[in-house]
Amino acid sequence: MTEMKGSGSERRLEMPILSAVPELAHGFTVRGSDARAAVRAASGEAPLVSLRQVHGSIVHVVPPAPRDGDRPEGDALATSSAGMALGVWVADCVPILLCDPRTRAVAAVHAGWRGTVAGILGEAIATLRDRFGSRPADLRVALGPAIGACCFEVGDEVVEALLRTDAGAAACVRRGPRPHLDLHDANRRQALAAGVPAGQIQAADLCTACRADLLESYRRDRESAGRMAAFIGWRS
């Protein structure tokens, strides 16, 4: 579900569901790549707009001319303006990129387990609907590389918090001596519940903790882990 683009500091993964949209730039950076170099390679001189991420459910709408250095607290950005790249930073959490080819609204979402429980993806979809007139049926949703259920061991309190918000999310939990959580699947459920068709949701089949050759992982490397960017925007 992913394709490597660029070389050296410009390396990034792209996903077919977004690559097929004309004039749309996007990418998920990898170990050794530079986010701004990757953005330049994908979209030209577009500035990278990002957040102070707090593992919550706040979505910020970015105006056509955002102020330099403005980084509000939140976990998702949305805009319909061209000439910028919306970005989030991850090292196990799910980076999610959304696009509406009809209204040209896009969003970048950071979804760790806390953000997932808080419903950050559903909030981003609602923002695209309410602020830009997007229909969920028109959206394309790409779930980038994140820690997989194979490696994401969690405590019972995490499972209980998720099930309080979505009882059906029990299907996202692998039981055993310690539960493991499938964050991709939990966020896919949110997109489906918001009205996005299943065929318009794609997930990268890459686990950040498993792929030390390619991806950063806080669970694997702790304080020595770097951060990867996921970005999306319309070319000017």
Side-chain angles (χ1 to χ4, degrees):
M1 286 292 186
T2 59
E3 180 181 1
M4 185 69 74
K5 296 285 187 178
S7 59
S9 64
E10 298 176 354
R11 288 199 312 159
R12 62 201 181 276
L13 298 167
E14 294 186 357
M15 297 188 65
I17 199 164
L18 298 181
S19 297
V21 180
E23 302 178 23
L24 182 70
H26 82 284
F28 302 90
T29 65
V30 297
R31 293 191 80 169
S33 61
D34 176 82
R36 285 162 181 81
V39 169
R40 285 195 299 270
S43 62
E45 294 303 315
L48 180 61
V49 181
S50 60
L51 296 150
R52 293 193 303 275
Q53 296 167 190
V54 294
H55 296 275
S57 60
I58 297 173
V59 182
H60 288 277
V61 174
V62 183
R67 293 179 298 178
D68 289 343
D70 187 14
R71 296 180 65 239
E73 286 191 354
D75 288 277
L77 292 164
T79 193
S80 61
S81 301
M84 71 179 79
L86 308 182
V88 293
W89 301 91
V90 294
D92 280 334
C93 298
V94 186
I96 309 173
L97 302 177
L98 301 91
C99 166
D100 180 351
R102 183 180 64 87
T103 65
R104 292 177 64 87
V106 295
V109 177
H110 161 251
W113 76 261
R114 291 180 179 84
T116 300
V117 168
I120 182 62
L121 179 54
E123 291 294 333
I125 293 170
T127 298
L128 295 184
R129 180 195 65 213
D130 297 342
R131 296 295 297 269
F132 304 108
S134 293
R135 299 184 296 247
D138 293 332
L139 295 179
R140 300 184 181 207
V141 179
L143 310 174
I147 192 167
C150 51
C151 296
F152 193 32
E153 180 181 296
V154 297
D156 291 334
E157 72 281 1
V158 174
V159 175
E160 291 166 5
L162 180 64
L163 297 184
R164 281 196 296 270
T165 62
D166 177 10
C172 307
V173 180
R174 294 185 184 177
R175 299 291 182 176
R178 294 278 288 178
H180 286 64
L181 179 59
D182 188 335
L183 277 178
H184 270 157
D185 197 31
N187 282 282
R188 183 186 290 108
R189 287 181 57 84
Q190 285 190 28
L192 291 170
V196 181
Q200 290 165 212
I201 306 168
Q202 283 185 350
D205 54 353
L206 295 167
C207 169
T208 49
C210 288
R211 292 296 303 271
D213 61 315
L214 184 66
L215 303 169
E216 300 285 359
S217 169
Y218 183 82
R219 177 65 65 100
R220 184 187 64 233
D221 298 329
R222 295 298 175 181
E223 285 73 16
S224 64
R227 296 295 183 270
M228 303 175 293
F231 63 88
I232 189 167
W234 297 102
R235 299 183 182 95
S236 297

